[in-house]
Amino acid sequence: MGADTNDTQDALGATDEYGIPIIPDPADAASRKRQAIIDAALAEFLAEGYSAASMDAITRGSGVSKATIYKHFGSKERLFLAVIGGVLPKTYADLEPSNSTIADAPDLRAALVRLTTDWARILLRPDIMSLRRLVIGEIDRFPQLGQLWYRVSYDMNNGPLVEAFTELHARGTLNAPDPKLAVQQLVAVTVGVPQLVRTFSPDAVIEDAELTRVISSGVDLFLARYARA
């Protein structure tokens, strides 16, 4: 067995800290084939889940040979992990919440309502909800995806808000000695309510007026507990 073969096997076995496969980026034509595989695999996995997903369907959808798919990703399991693990961070790219401005907002209630409403509208998008259901459905088989989802959502959303609440507690605006818990509770009573409904009832319609009512009520509940008089 030659050195090139050993190098390929080593690359196919590499994973990151979450156990997600590290797939080296190819160049030029190989890169286009890689993207075609990823697009076809994502569509198939979202539609069928991991177990029922067909490598033949992915082959047809990508327009490349099955041998090429295995050359790039090694196995169906690694393909699933690489594709879903690669997509997860991108699902939050549109959020980029302005948590850093919360501490200086002239109207904290209005700022929290606006922030959590923006979160909810993005997180309730059909593509993100489908991905969420897929990860939940495969969590026992692929716990690393759940860990990655939690870390990405915390780093991009909860983490900055924890910093803002820490600052507001220091100023005496909030009584939040445990800002991490405070953020978790805020998310639970605002974004978490419609998200739970849509997770298990994909066809549920949540009108803007209802979303506003739920979010505003959740923020009022949060401030009743944490705002200093």
Side-chain angles (χ1 to χ4, degrees), residues 42-62:
L42 179 60
E44 178 69 4
F45 287 134
L46 287 175
E48 304 295 340
Y50 173 76
S51 296
S54 165
M55 292 298 285
D56 289 333
I58 294 172
T59 297
R60 291 192 299 272
S62 64

Side-chain angles (χ1 to χ4, degrees), residues 26-54:
D28 303 329
S31 180
R32 291 193 294 274
K33 289 182 179 179
R34 170 76 60 77
Q35 191 58 52
I37 295 168
I38 290 173
D39 292 343
L42 179 60
E44 178 69 4
F45 287 134
L46 287 175
E48 304 295 340
Y50 173 76
S51 296
S54 165

Side-chain angles (χ1 to χ4, degrees), residues 95-207:
L95 286 172
E96 294 295 330
S98 55
N99 293 328
S100 60
T101 66
I102 291 294
D104 298 317
D107 185 335
L108 181 58
R109 180 186 183 277
L112 290 175
V113 168
R114 183 168 56 253
L115 176 67
T116 51
T117 299
D118 288 344
W119 284 12
R121 284 179 175 151
I122 292 173
L123 294 176
L124 292 177
R125 280 181 1 205
D127 59 328
I128 295 182
M129 291 305 304
S130 294
L131 189 61
R132 176 182 176 84
R133 292 186 205 100
L134 176 62
V135 172
I136 291 173
E138 301 292 347
I139 199 73
D140 289 335
R141 189 194 304 267
F142 300 110
Q144 58 268 60
L145 289 177
Q147 294 166 6
L148 175 61
W149 189 300
Y150 177 81
R151 177 48 52 192
V152 168
S153 64
Y154 183 87
D155 286 345
M156 296 188 70
N157 300 295
N158 293 28
L161 197 53
V162 168
E163 294 179 7
F165 284 4
T166 299
E167 176 65 23
L168 289 170
H169 176 75
R171 294 180 190 175
T173 303
L174 293 179
N175 180 21
D178 187 344
K180 182 177 180 179
L181 175 62
V183 170
Q184 291 173 332
Q185 291 176 334
L186 173 65
V187 172
V189 297
T190 55
V191 177
V193 176
Q195 187 179 59
L196 183 64
V197 171
R198 288 291 297 277
T199 296
F200 299 103
S201 298
D203 296 329
V205 176
I206 302 176
E207 303 288 351

